[in-house]
């Protein structure tokens, strides 16, 4: 799976660069330009929109248009159709909470950089067998916290993770200290209500804080 491996490499590069990925729910695509500007102003280079609102696909297109340098992934991908629509909208990467054979097949067919979610060793083994070695760990805090990924490092030494779910700024350092963690995801950087209110200063301030936290963790 040569092409797939190339995509997994570029996915890893995006995630490493990210440090912290804002996981975003957006209700109005008209807010996308302001949001992209606030994230960039704060120094973030990567974001994830979730396909959980009707505005998500249009918002992704608008963010890519407003800030072409910003890598924007589409999360909450559940079906091959979701994956196709997200790619058509210009998603730089795709994120799913879990993995199904249909989704794995679609990712391979489209040569798409998919970050599938896992929670247990058996799910992890299935994802690796399907060709994925860069995985989302979800829901990270509820599923055992950093101790869980520390334990995974022994039997699954080649797998790298992006933990997401319940990770606030106070927990970022504990996760990023793990050698098998590339980045963490969290909704605290750009909360849904702050986007709806157009609180770009607040979001830019959170983004700046995220950049500092990621820098401190890698120092
Ligand atoms: C999500 O599902 O929205 C992400 O995992 C973000 O979770 P969080 O709101 O706990 O950061």
């Amino acid at each position: 799976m040569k092409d797939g491996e190339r995509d997994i490499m570029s996915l890893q590069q995006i995630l490493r660069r990210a440090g912290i990925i804002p996981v975003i729910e957006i209700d109005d695509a008209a807010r996308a330009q302001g949001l992209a500007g606030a994230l960039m102003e704060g120094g973030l280079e990567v974001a994830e929109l979730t396909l959980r609102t009707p505005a998500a696909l249009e918002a992704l297109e608008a963010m890519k248009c407003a800030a072409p340098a910003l890598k924007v992934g589409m999360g909450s991908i559940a079906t091959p159709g979701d994956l196709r629509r997200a790619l058509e909208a210009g998603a730089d990467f795709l994120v799913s909470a879990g993995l199904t054979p249909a989704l794995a097949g679609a990712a391979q067919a489209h040569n798409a950089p998919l970050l599938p979610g896992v929670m247990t060793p058996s799910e992890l083994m299935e994802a690796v067998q399907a060709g994925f070695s860069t995985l989302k760990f979800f829901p990270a805090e509820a599923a055992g916290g950093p101790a869980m990924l520390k334990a995974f490092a022994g039997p699954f030494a080649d797998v790298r993770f992006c933990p997401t779910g319940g990770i606030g700024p106070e927990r970022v350092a504990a996760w990023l200290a793990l050698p098998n963690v590339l980045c963490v995801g969290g909704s605290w950087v750009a909360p849904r209500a702050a986007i709806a209110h157009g609180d770009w200063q607040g979001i830019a301030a959170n983004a700046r804080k995220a950049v500092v936290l990621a820098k401190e963790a890698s120092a």
Side-chain angles (χ1 to χ4, degrees), residues 23 50 52 136 138 164-167 185-188:
V23 178
T50 55
R52 298 201 285 244
K136 165 168 158 151
F138 176 82
T164 306
I167 305 179
S187 61
W188 61 271

Side-chain angles (χ1 to χ4, degrees), residues 5-123:
E5 278 165 18
R6 195 176 59 234
D7 269 339
I8 285 165
M9 276 308 294
S10 69
L11 175 61
Q12 280 209 3
Q13 282 162 3
I14 291 173
L15 299 182
R16 264 187 214 287
R17 191 190 310 173
I20 295 175
I21 299 186
V23 178
I24 297 163
E25 287 180 302
I26 185 164
D27 294 296
D28 182 357
R31 298 286 191 202
Q33 189 177 351
L35 172 63
L39 296 174
M40 297 285 284
E41 191 193 319
L44 286 175
E45 297 175 50
V46 182
E48 175 193 329
L49 294 188
T50 55
L51 196 47
R52 298 201 285 244
T53 60
L57 289 166
E58 198 187 334
L60 189 142
E61 279 185 45
M63 282 178 79
K64 292 296 301 176
C65 194
L70 191 67
K71 297 282 180 198
V72 188
M74 184 60 86
S76 302
I77 298 288
T79 66
D82 290 346
L83 182 138
R84 240 185 349 263
R85 282 187 287 277
L87 287 175
E88 280 165 14
D92 291 300
F93 62 100
L94 298 317
V95 187
S96 56
L99 185 63
T100 64
L103 200 50
Q108 277 162 8
H110 290 275
N111 195 19
L114 173 67
L115 178 71
V118 298
M119 192 181 95
T120 68
S122 295
E123 289 168 2

